[in-house]
Every structure is written in C-alpha cells, then in structure tokens.
Amino acid sequence: MLDTNLTHVNSEEEFSKILNENENVMICCGRMGPMCVPVYGIMEELENEYTNVKFADMAFDSPHAHLIRNLPECRAFQGLPFTVYFKDGKVVKATSSIQSMDQIIEILDAEFTKVEA
Amino acid sequence: MRNYNFDVIIIGGGAAGLTAAIYLSRARVNTIVLNEGTAGGQMVLTHEIANYPGVENISGYKLAGTMKKQAVSFGTEIRSNIRVTGMKLDGEIKTVEVNDKEIYSANAVIIATGGKSRTLNVPGEEEFKGLGVSYCATCDGDFFRDKKVIVVGGGNSALEEAVSLTKYASEVTIVHQFDHFQAFEHAVKEAEENPKISFIMESRIAEFVGDEKLRKVRIENQSTKEITEKDVDGVFILIGYVPNTAKLRDLIDLNSAGEIITDANMRTNIEGVFAAGDSIQKRFRQITTAVSDGTIAALNAAEYIHYFKTQLQAV
Ligand SMILES: Cc1cc2nc3c(=O)[nH]c(=O)nc-3n(C[C@H](O)[C@H](O)[C@H](O)COP(=O)(O)OP(=O)(O)OC[C@H]3O[C@@H](n4cnc5c(N)ncnc54)[C@H](O)[C@@H]3O)c2cc1C
C-alpha cells in the first residue's frame, strides 16, 4: 500500500467499485519514488477543489496493478507513474512519468466538467 | 486581487523553507510558505535518508511530512502547488503575487526555492518523457530489460546509474559533452570496466525521434558538428541540478550559475530579503546544510522584523 493520504485501490474488487460508483476517476499507479510522489501530492492538493473527481492511487507492484499496466492506453509507457483518467468507467486519458500541476489541471478541466464549490 | 498580510513570506517549502517556518512561527512571527511544488521539495524525491543526524533511516516523504507538521503546529500557513506570478522585493513592503489573483505582502522574505534536475531542452524531450525519456534510473530502469539505453551526463550520478542500468539493459551508452568526466575516479573506473558500457564523448543529444515511443536519437559531435543517428529504447538524462532562480534574475544578485549570493547571515543584497538552501551559492547541498541555512535565515529575519516593528513604534 502506498504511503499517501489518497484512497488506495487495494484489489480488483475495489477497482471495479471505484469505477462503478464514480463518473470521473483519476488513478495514479506508481511507487514511492521521485517521479510518483509529486503526482500524489498534486492529487491530494486538488482533491478538495475537484469534488466531482475521485482521486485514488494504486501500488505498481501489487497483483491487481495489471488492471492499469495492461491497459492498451499504457502500452507504450516506460516511466512511472502511470496515471489514468476514467469517465463512466472508460479511459479518456493516460499519462506516463511525472506531470506538473498545470498539466494535470489541464487534463481534469478538459475531460471532466468542474463543479464550482 | 485578494490581499493577505504576513510578517515573513517564505518562498519555497523544502527543507530550508520548512525549517525557517518552524523557527519563525515558533517565535510567533506571522509566517506563510508559498511553494510551487509538493511541500518537502527534493526531500520527497528521496527513497531513503540515512544521513540526517538523530534519525537512523527514514523515507524523504516521511521526513518532509514531519517537518511540514511541525511548521503547521507552530502556526505557519503553507500553500503548496501554487504558481508565483510576480514578486516585488525592494522597499519596506515586499509582495508576492500568486496564481495571478492573490497578493501576499510582508516586511521580510526568505527565498528557499532549491533546485531541480537539469533538462536538455532539445526537440522531442518533453514529447517522449515517460515514453523512453527518463530522469530517474531507479524508477524506470526495469522498463528497459534487454533494451538499448543511453545515459546522458558525466558526473557521479550519471556514471553510477549507468552501471546500475546494466542490470537491466542489454547495452548502455554514455553520451557526454566533454572529453573527460566530472565524477570520482572509482566511479569512472567502474563504468569503464563494465563490458556493457560504451562511450560517446564530446557529443550531445540534438533530438529525440519516435512515434508512440522513443525510437532513436540524433547525436551531434561537439567539435565536428557531425550528426549521427542511433537506435535506442531509452535515454536517461542525468546532467545535474540547476537552482530554481529564473524568476529572480532581475530582482536580486545571482552568480553566473544562477545561484543566489548571500553573506554568512543568509542576507541577500536587498534589505529584508534572505535566502537559504540549495538555491544559494555554496559547495555542499544536503538536507543538513539546507536546514542550517533555513535556521540562520529565520533567526536573522525574525531579528529584522523585530527591529522593523520597534522602529515603527518609535515613530
Ligand atoms: C534524488 C536525491 C537524493 C538526495 N539524497 C539526499 C540524502 O540522502 N541526504 C541529504 O542530506 N540530501 C540529499 N539530497 C539533497 C537534498 O534533498 C537537498 O539538498 C535539500 O532537500 C535542499 O532543500 P531546499 O529546501 O534548499 O530545496 P528544495 O528541496 O529543492 O525545495 C525547494 C522548494 O521550492 C519550490 N519552488 C521552486 N521554485 C519556486 C518558486 N519560484 N516559488 C515558490 N516555490 C518554488 C520547489 O517546488 C520546492 O518545493 C538528495 C537530493 C536528490 C535530488
């Protein structure tokens, strides 16, 4: 399990449940390394702002990580973390390696309509 | 624009900035940390810290979390992942603009913006980040099992990581801009003796080329300017760090490497502006030295604020 304050996806069942229960989902699949930790930090920061998005992480070395690792959208990925954005259970965007706050916000705003608090 | 007023603004929330925050807020100085990235800075990028005195072994993420908690418990406000969009550092009242919509003002500022990995800034680098271009061999090495990789750089990290990548890759080529390395002799020897490692010296990567992932690079020989192409699966860019001072270029004195010039009290050339940590001109960049700089900057800033307030009262 990753040492973050995000919701952790710990099994295949939890993965399905999160996708079934939430229209907009962002899952960051990584380790506790230098390219991954900043992305978790940004997600923790954005969690309060984007109340319409479910933010979660998944340990890259867990048995259920194949759910992200083997997605066709991640086929060419060669850098941690693999971050995948789902709408209604379908992948709408996926990125490989570290991303900045601005890059993540751009994707969230493009893919999910923000609900003003 | 919304306005907020503090005694001290700390720009940057790494080891230096968080330490300064702990000292200032504990001394009841009204303090805010404005941090462009994740609070903790480079500390959170470190898997394991074994040389921070008093703590045998800790992840950087945990150490950063504890420092942050300490600062907040004494009353510091921390804003992370913001963008600093403007700064006015001269005069009695200094201001920092955030996200184009908020203005923070204070009588003293501590700059603790640290440093970041240097990038090559050549075509294709950003496009193939995570698709073959990497800045962390420990993180991404195992994606390159039996593949061909290049390591760019000639310092200790580049040579050590090149050796560690031979555990995965079928061949490792080191591309370095000079005809000699800047690394320790033992690191150079270890790389030279490794049969999987070859060298392309006095050369630079001019372009990354690929489709859905990186396929090849164009390498320029620095003296002949001749360009050659090399098929490759991955490129690890390990060319050192640069101080995060681009936004300060016209505001305070920097040396030719872009590092902030301070005196022993962490004072810059501008009254009321202090600096600490990896962004200043110094030889050793460690958490301990950042913490030390942060302490000195905070104590001097507190004294400056005290002087400022008593002067005002006297008027
Ligand atoms: C991979 C790695 C491993 C390391 N291992 C060790 C180790 O084992 N032991 C050790 O002692 N040291 C280690 N170091 C070095 C150590 O991490 C640094 O020397 C130290 O953390 C520097 O702290 P700092 O506060 O000066 O800067 P940083 O940690 O760089 O923090 C600066 C902060 O300022 C923010 N910032 C940048 N620009 C702006 C701006 N314009 N406005 C607002 N905020 C801004 C950044 O996002 C960052 O959060 C390591 C470094 C790395 C990269």
Side-chain angles (χ1 to χ4, degrees):
Chain A
M1 197 157 65
L2 297 166
D3 187 7
T4 74
N5 298 317
L6 295 166
T7 300
H8 309 301
V9 181
N10 288 320
S11 63
E12 298 201 8
E13 294 70 40
E14 285 181 19
F15 179 76
S16 308
K17 193 162 180 276
I18 282 187
L19 292 196
N20 285 335
E21 290 179 358
N22 299 277
E23 183 188 345
N24 305 319
V25 178
M26 172 181 181
I27 298 180
C28 183
C29 184
R31 298 185 176 124
M32 289 309 288
M35 300 292 129
C36 306
V37 170
V39 179
Y40 307 139
I42 293 168
M43 291 168 75
E44 286 179 12
E45 207 75 39
L46 293 176
E47 222 169 11
N48 295 330
E49 205 179 319
Y50 286 82
T51 49
N52 58 326
V53 181
K54 179 74 188 168
F55 293 88
D57 63 34
M58 189 192 271
F60 195 78
D61 300 303
S62 61
H64 49 281
H66 69 90
L67 294 166
I68 297 284
R69 292 165 85 143
N70 295 342
L71 285 169
E73 292 80 359
C74 300
R75 195 184 45 225
F77 286 6
Q78 289 175 314
L80 288 179
F82 292 8
T83 307
V84 184
Y85 300 77
F86 297 89
K87 188 165 193 71
D88 299 322
K90 296 212 165 56
V91 179
V92 286
K93 180 85 187 168
T95 63
S96 175
S97 192
I98 190 169
Q99 304 290 313
S100 69
M101 179 90 147
D102 286 349
Q103 287 171 319
I104 292 173
I105 286 179
E106 198 181 317
I107 297 172
L108 292 175
D109 288 345
E111 303 299 342
F112 311 137
T113 318
K114 189 173 169 185
V115 179
E116 290 301 332
Chain B
M1 288 273 180
R2 270 179 284 166
N3 290 283
Y4 304 91
N5 189 37
F6 287 83
D7 291 329
V8 179
I9 297 170
I10 299 171
I11 306 178
L18 291 175
T19 304
I22 291 169
Y23 273 82
L24 284 166
S25 48
R26 197 152 183 248
R28 299 189 178 281
V29 176
N30 194 12
T31 305
I32 186 158
V33 174
L34 300 174
N35 186 50
E36 282 201 344
T38 308
Q42 291 173 65
M43 266 188 301
V44 301
L45 309 184
T46 312
H47 290 278
E48 188 186 285
I49 294 162
N51 54 6
Y52 191 71
V55 187
E56 270 188 19
N57 216 308
I58 190 167
S59 77
Y61 188 72
K62 278 234 162 73
L63 184 60
T66 311
M67 283 191 194
K68 185 177 156 188
K69 205 164 133 198
Q70 273 177 293
V72 170
S73 75
F74 291 127
T76 296
E77 207 173 299
I78 300 179
R79 294 222 34 216
S80 295
N81 289 304
I82 49 94
R83 257 179 327 114
V84 169
T85 43
M87 273 183 264
K88 187 183 100 42
L89 298 178
D90 55 353
E92 287 183 357
I93 297 176
K94 293 136 191 354
T95 56
V96 179
E97 187 187 284
V98 166
N99 296 345
D100 289 316
K101 59 179 187 212
E102 294 158 16
I103 301 261
Y104 292 82
S105 55
N107 293 122
V109 168
I110 296 176
I111 299 165
T113 48
K116 61 166 186 262
S117 301
R118 197 187 286 274
T119 54
L120 290 173
N121 288 324
V122 299
E125 182 178 9
E126 179 62 26
E127 186 186 340
F128 293 109
K129 185 181 77 177
L131 303 172
V133 173
S134 174
Y135 302 89
C136 177
T138 328
C139 311
D140 301 332
D142 61 354
F143 291 115
F144 298 93
R145 273 177 205 281
D146 304 318
K147 303 247 168 89
K148 289 188 220 161
V149 303
I150 284 177
V151 170
V152 184
N156 286 314
S157 333
L159 293 186
E160 282 164 15
E161 298 293 22
V163 171
S164 86
L165 280 166
T166 58
K167 281 189 290 189
Y168 310 105
S170 57
E171 69 172 64
V172 177
T173 307
I174 296 178
V175 174
H176 184 41
Q177 60 178 333
F178 302 122
D179 62 359
H180 60 278
F181 292 108
Q182 288 83 44
F184 291 132
E185 213 171 292
H186 65 83
V188 178
K189 194 161 175 268
E190 206 183 334
E192 282 175 345
E193 284 174 356
N194 193 308
K196 278 191 180 176
I197 298 181
S198 59
F199 302 88
I200 300 180
M201 304 299 281
E202 288 184 87
S203 299
R204 68 172 195 105
I205 306 254
E207 191 179 352
F208 294 90
V209 184
D211 35 52
E212 63 168 10
K213 60 163 112 167
L214 180 70
R215 302 285 178 194
K216 62 183 173 192
V217 289
R218 298 208 164 94
I219 301 173
E220 183 189 64
N221 181 295
Q222 302 271 67
S223 39
T224 63
K225 301 288 169 209
E226 186 194 348
I227 302 259
T228 49
E229 286 192 350
K230 184 169 173 56
D231 290 343
V232 72
D233 301 292
V235 176
F236 289 82
I237 300 167
L238 302 163
I239 49 174
Y241 284 81
V242 277
N244 290 321
T245 55
K247 292 180 182 170
L248 298 162
R249 206 163 285 146
D250 301 320
L251 302 176
I252 53 171
D253 281 354
L254 306 176
N255 67 12
S256 57
E259 300 157 346
I260 303 167
I261 299 170
T262 62
D263 65 11
N265 288 316
M266 301 298 140
R267 283 188 295 231
T268 68
N269 64 311
I270 298 188
E271 201 172 298
V273 179
F274 304 82
D278 279 15
S279 57
I280 70 166
Q281 170 175 295
K282 63 177 179 179
R283 183 153 170 228
F284 298 113
R285 291 186 163 76
Q286 288 288 289
I287 298 168
T288 47
T289 56
V291 160
S292 161
D293 296 344
T295 308
I296 297 167
L299 294 176
N300 282 299
E303 200 174 273
Y304 179 81
I305 290 291
H306 179 70
Y307 162 81
F308 209 88
K309 285 187 173 165
T310 45
Q311 284 260 314
L312 274 181
Q313 272 165 10
V315 177

